[in-house]
Amino acid sequence: MLVYNTQTHKKEELVPIEPGKIRMYVCGPTVYDQIHIGNARTFLAFDVIRRYLMYKGYQVTFAQNLTDVDDKIINRANETGRTAAEVAEECSNAFIEQMHRFGVLDPDIRPRATHEIEAMQEMIVRLIDAGHAYPVPSGDVYFSVRSDTSYGILSGRDLDQMRAGERVGVNDEKRDPFDFALWKAAKPGEPSWPSPWGDGRPGWHTECCAMIHRYLGTPIDIHGGGADLVFPHHENETAQAMCAWDTALANTWMHTGMLRVDGEKMSKSLGNFYTLKEVLDKYPAGAVRLLMLQTHYRAPLDFSFERLEGVAGTLERLQTCARNLRWAAERSPQDGELNDADRALGRAIDAAREEFCGQMDDDFNTAGGLAAIFSLVTACNTYLAEAADDTSTAVCLRAADMLGELAAVMGIELSRSAGDDDLPVALVDLAREHAGYEGDSASDAADALLAARQEARAAKNWGVADAIRDGITVLGLVVEDTAAGARLHRKE
Ligand code: AMP
Ligand code: ZN
């Protein structure tokens, strides 16, 4: 399995540190607001990477932090008259809620910066003792980038060249303009914790490094985040690990491309800024996933509502195919010998899985993986149309299961039932009135209504046929005619 490593600029064979196990960490959000769809793109990419590693049989341990103390949180608290802890708590809960809606698996470990002060201070003490960090009179502690001979190893930046080209903030207390704060002295009114250097709070780059060391051990197999984190955040993380414990922080560094809206950078000032919440309020999570996964995780992703509209139909096609297969399986007579068409679909199922894995083994090529899923959809639709009512139950079920299995790696849930899972109970009353139905199951009522409608049409009893159709429409349902017969489902 090949994975692109930012540090070496090439695809490398993934060789786990411990056979069969992968330890991975993805930098989490700073919790001061709802996350936007750019953040969501990154979290989705690593969700699918994790799911695929699990699908391949690895035992994956996944950690992701919540940055719950930061200037942005403190500013938001001051603007809204709340404490920083209140803002962080509310936004952490909102983040977790939206991740659940999006179908992103919970991390195995979710450390919060404010709960890890001790681990961070221990690391800072080690760095000071080894001569890689220094406290200054104001109470800040800085990491000395010059003390780390490998500084720049991840991003490929050279401190001397950057000096010439870039303006960096001037701070008299720093020995070098690129030195960064491991610990920040408390300003009045800010959250703070006691430390050997006076009251203060940790710097952002400090937290991930200390958490990784504490919860996963260093080095880990995979460290990920958006491409905007390569420098300085991840460069600074790996520098601390090298200097504190003499190990790299991660063997493989993975970075996602940035999300753009309508070809432009997404930003509040351009008015093309969308939160994940507002997008999920309007579109199914599966459609947003499909759109994002059509682009390779390392490439920039162009988001537009136009594309999303189109993809919603693609998702429907996948779901309908799986339902049709299960429907056909329920309706088909007992299996006899498999015929040529059955065997051809059987081969298409195996080929789709092989193609899917081949694509995903190549640096998680989700676009290729999706193409493999949809080539199976096409094969299934052709089979269902041509076989009409002579389908094989076993082959239909195997095809539906394979679609479900591969879609699940993409985090897309397909229904395991032949019909709509949530037909309204009001169908029961309608069927009692028009179809002499006496039970209380919505799906049986749907079958009874469709049979009664069919009978009424055959008898040219248009009044009854129309009354049934109108009643169905009022409930927000449509009649779908499939090769294996008519059935009801919810209008999208
Ligand atoms: P932040 O809360 O800003 O630290 O961001 C959380 C994660 O989202 C980080 O991994 C960022 O790299 C990532 N991220 C931020 N903006 C974008 C974007 N426009 N596209 C993709 N990922 C992003
Ligand atoms: Zn981080």
Side-chain angles (χ1 to χ4, degrees):
M1 191 171 170
L2 293 175
V3 182
Y4 185 88
N5 186 352
T6 307
Q7 185 162 327
T8 57
H9 308 284
K10 46 178 202 265
K11 289 184 197 172
E12 298 169 345
E13 188 61 34
L14 181 69
V15 182
I17 295 166
E18 270 183 81
K21 296 186 181 171
I22 295 285
R23 287 174 291 141
M24 66 188 284
Y25 182 95
V26 173
C27 298
T30 305
V31 282
Y32 70 102
D33 208 343
Q34 285 281 348
I35 62 155
H36 58 65
I37 54 175
N39 306 132
R41 190 264 168 120
T42 290
F43 300 141
L44 167 66
F46 287 103
D47 182 55
V48 172
I49 287 166
R50 175 190 185 188
R51 284 171 185 264
Y52 185 64
L53 291 169
M54 288 160 63
Y55 182 65
K56 291 281 283 191
Y58 289 109
Q59 189 187 323
V60 180
T61 309
F62 185 99
Q64 178 171 63
N65 66 316
L66 290 170
T67 299
D68 62 352
V69 58
D70 175 86
D71 287 339
K72 288 187 200 133
I73 300 171
I74 295 166
N75 292 343
R76 183 57 54 93
N78 291 339
E79 284 158 24
T80 55
R82 289 176 295 168
T83 65
E86 282 164 357
V87 170
E89 177 70 15
E90 187 188 306
C91 296
S92 298
N93 292 339
F95 167 67
I96 292 167
E97 186 188 335
Q98 298 311 317
M99 286 292 98
H100 288 168
R101 282 180 83 191
F102 201 23
V104 171
L105 298 175
D106 276 333
D108 299 301
I109 307 157
R110 190 176 341 246
R112 293 165 198 244
T114 56
H115 297 200
E116 305 296 328
I117 304 294
E118 204 182 310
M120 290 188 248
Q121 291 188 353
E122 275 172 22
M123 185 181 82
I124 296 170
V125 167
R126 276 183 83 91
L127 289 169
I128 295 174
D129 289 350
H132 292 293
Y134 55 95
V136 297
S138 66
D140 294 345
V141 180
Y142 290 101
F143 181 90
S144 165
V145 292
R146 293 278 163 189
S147 76
D148 174 15
T149 49
S150 60
Y151 193 83
I153 188 170
L154 173 65
S155 61
R157 299 204 185 199
D158 178 316
L159 282 172
D160 295 317
Q161 279 176 5
M162 286 196 298
R163 176 75 40 87
E166 290 184 35
R167 276 173 53 122
V168 287
V170 181
N171 174 337
D172 289 345
E173 291 188 313
K174 286 192 200 178
R175 294 182 191 159
D176 185 288
F178 286 101
D179 288 355
F180 57 91
L182 298 168
W183 187 259
K184 297 177 175 182
K187 298 199 193 88
E190 285 187 356
S192 68
W193 291 262
S195 86
W197 319 286
D199 288 357
R201 60 186 164 99
W204 175 39
H205 311 306
T206 317
E207 66 182 89
C208 299
C209 191
M211 290 169 182
I212 289 172
H213 187 71
R214 172 165 183 202
Y215 289 103
L216 299 174
T218 44
I220 55 172
D221 295 287
I222 295 175
H223 191 326
D228 57 333
L229 297 190
V230 176
F231 188 88
H233 185 55
H234 287 165
E235 189 70 62
N236 290 350
E237 284 185 10
T238 199
Q240 293 167 84
M242 285 303 294
C243 294
W245 307 297
D246 205 18
T247 63
L249 190 55
N251 283 357
T252 305
W253 288 86
M254 298 181 71
H255 293 97
T256 49
M258 293 289 107
L259 177 140
R260 303 187 297 213
V261 173
D262 298 323
E264 281 185 288
K265 184 178 184 300
M266 185 174 72
S267 78
K268 275 192 173 146
S269 57
L270 289 172
N272 61 359
F273 179 95
Y274 303 108
T275 64
L276 177 63
K277 180 176 185 306
E278 65 188 310
V279 174
L280 291 183
D281 283 347
K282 292 196 206 111
Y283 293 89
V288 182
R289 279 182 169 257
L290 269 187
L291 181 151
M292 291 187 173
L293 296 172
Q294 282 173 352
T295 302
H296 189 267
Y297 76 88
R298 277 192 287 125
L301 181 124
D302 273 311
F303 177 91
S304 75
F305 282 99
E306 214 175 14
R307 273 189 75 194
L308 190 49
E309 290 285 347
V311 167
T314 311
L315 175 67
E316 186 55 27
R317 200 169 146 240
L318 172 60
Q319 281 163 336
T320 304
C321 179
R323 276 203 306 261
N324 285 348
L325 286 163
R326 294 198 188 279
W327 175 260
E330 277 180 15
R331 299 284 143 145
S332 46
Q334 281 303 316
D335 273 341
E337 288 272 295
L338 295 186
N339 61 28
D340 285 350
D342 301 333
R343 278 191 293 270
L345 186 60
R347 285 192 299 275
I349 295 167
D350 295 334
R353 184 174 190 278
E354 201 178 314
E355 173 67 12
F356 179 88
C357 291
Q359 294 290 341
M360 293 293 281
D361 280 346
D362 182 13
D363 195 26
F364 306 98
N365 185 355
T366 51
L370 288 174
I373 294 177
F374 280 95
S375 71
L376 180 56
V377 168
T378 304
C380 291
N381 287 344
T382 307
Y383 171 80
L384 289 172
E386 288 175 0
D389 53 5
D390 186 25
T391 52
S392 151
T393 302
V395 175
C396 285
L397 286 181
R398 209 156 79 69
D401 286 346
M402 184 55 71
L403 286 178
E405 178 177 317
L406 300 182
V409 177
M410 301 304 194
I412 296 170
E413 286 282 331
L414 298 186
S415 163
R416 292 192 52 82
S417 85
D420 223 306
D421 293 328
D422 58 351
L423 287 172
V425 281
L427 275 176
V428 171
D429 286 338
L430 197 65
R432 284 189 178 146
E433 188 182 338
H434 295 294
Y437 177 67
E438 289 178 343
D440 53 13
S441 138
S443 73
D444 289 348
D447 286 346
L449 279 166
L450 286 167
R453 173 173 166 266
Q454 197 52 40
E455 224 172 84
R457 288 168 71 169
K460 301 206 190 314
N461 194 347
W462 305 118
V464 173
D466 287 352
I468 292 175
R469 191 204 51 216
D470 292 349
I472 287 169
T473 311
V474 166
L475 294 176
L477 303 170
V478 288
V479 180
E480 186 189 357
D481 286 303
T482 75
R487 67 196 157 104
L488 292 184
H489 71 93
R490 280 192 188 271
K491 212 178 322 188
E492 293 305 320

